[in-house]
Short mmCIF file of all heavy atoms in Angstrom, two decimals:
data_model
loop_
_atom_site.label_atom_id
_atom_site.label_comp_id
_atom_site.label_asym_id
_atom_site.label_seq_id
_atom_site.Cartn_x
_atom_site.Cartn_y
_atom_site.Cartn_z
N ILE A 1397 44.76 55.67 88.12
CA ILE A 1397 44.47 57.09 88.33
C ILE A 1397 44.46 57.83 87.00
O ILE A 1397 43.62 58.72 86.79
CB ILE A 1397 45.47 57.69 89.33
CG1 ILE A 1397 45.23 57.11 90.72
CG2 ILE A 1397 45.37 59.21 89.36
CD1 ILE A 1397 46.27 57.48 91.74
N PHE A 1406 36.69 63.44 79.97
CA PHE A 1406 35.76 63.20 78.87
C PHE A 1406 34.31 63.34 79.31
O PHE A 1406 33.48 63.88 78.59
CB PHE A 1406 35.98 61.81 78.26
CG PHE A 1406 37.13 61.74 77.31
CD1 PHE A 1406 37.93 60.61 77.26
CD2 PHE A 1406 37.45 62.79 76.47
CE1 PHE A 1406 38.99 60.53 76.39
CE2 PHE A 1406 38.52 62.72 75.59
CZ PHE A 1406 39.29 61.59 75.56
N VAL A 1420 40.63 71.03 84.02
CA VAL A 1420 42.03 71.41 84.20
C VAL A 1420 42.70 70.51 85.23
O VAL A 1420 43.83 70.05 85.03
CB VAL A 1420 42.14 72.90 84.61
CG1 VAL A 1420 43.53 73.24 85.08
CG2 VAL A 1420 41.75 73.79 83.44
N MET A 1427 48.83 64.56 83.32
CA MET A 1427 50.20 64.91 82.94
C MET A 1427 51.21 64.53 84.03
O MET A 1427 52.31 64.06 83.72
CB MET A 1427 50.29 66.40 82.63
CG MET A 1427 49.49 66.81 81.42
SD MET A 1427 49.94 65.90 79.94
CE MET A 1427 51.43 66.72 79.51
#
Side-chain angles (χ1 to χ4, degrees):
I1397 291 172
F1406 280 143
V1420 168
M1427 295 303 283

